[in-house]
Amino acid sequence: MTGGLREIGGERKGVIEVLTFTLEGCAACAEMKEHLKQRNIPFRNIVVDENLGTVLEKEYLTDYYPIVAIVDKPTKNPYWVFVTQSVLDDSKIIHWQTIPELALKVKLKYDALQTTSFG
């Protein structure tokens, strides 16, 4: 194990996680989850309550959902966070306009992390 990351044949396995932050009854959130499933992207969905919503909206300066994050599984530090609107300009923040665009961007970043080599 290197720096908390498992190396198997030059690939990272089991060290990243896709988290989806959704609102109960949100049609866009349901659509996004369906697009991720169609692209075979495993994810863990977190239904946002008032407390978590306050934290997410303050952290990413957005009121819009869904929010998707690809994180380091052991530390939960984000590699990327996908939001539709935010004034933040950070290399870890990726903006999207449509649900299919979001799913494609998540897929590309997820696949890139899955095959990142070490050493």
Side-chain angles (χ1 to χ4, degrees):
M1 193 166 305
T2 306
L5 299 174
R6 210 171 330 155
E7 189 176 344
I8 302 172
E11 293 187 3
R12 297 159 64 143
K13 298 291 183 186
V15 297
I16 61 173
E17 182 174 30
V18 176
L19 302 176
T20 60
F21 298 94
T22 61
L23 299 175
E24 195 71 43
C26 167
C29 299
E31 181 184 353
M32 181 265 317
K33 291 186 286 188
E34 190 57 38
H35 276 274
L36 293 179
K37 287 177 189 174
Q38 290 172 1
R39 287 171 174 77
N40 297 315
I41 302 170
F43 63 92
R44 182 164 57 104
N45 186 60
I46 299 167
V47 177
V48 175
D49 63 14
E50 188 175 313
N51 293 329
L52 178 57
T54 300
V55 171
L56 289 171
E57 291 161 22
K58 184 177 180 181
E59 178 75 17
Y60 299 112
L61 300 178
T62 189
D63 301 344
Y64 297 92
Y65 292 87
I67 298 171
V68 179
I70 299 178
V71 300
D72 177 80
K73 198 170 186 177
T75 66
K76 300 299 183 221
N77 289 329
Y79 289 103
W80 292 287
V81 178
F82 302 82
V83 297
T84 185
Q85 290 188 7
S86 174
V87 296
L88 293 176
D89 185 24
D90 184 297
S91 61
K92 290 184 177 185
I93 303 293
I94 297 176
H95 297 262
W96 56 273
Q97 299 300 316
T98 67
I99 297 295
E101 177 189 356
L102 166 62
L104 178 60
K105 287 182 175 189
V106 171
K107 176 72 172 160
L108 292 172
K109 294 295 188 184
Y110 179 80
D111 287 350
L113 277 175
Q114 286 290 82
T115 58
T116 300
S117 296
F118 293 91

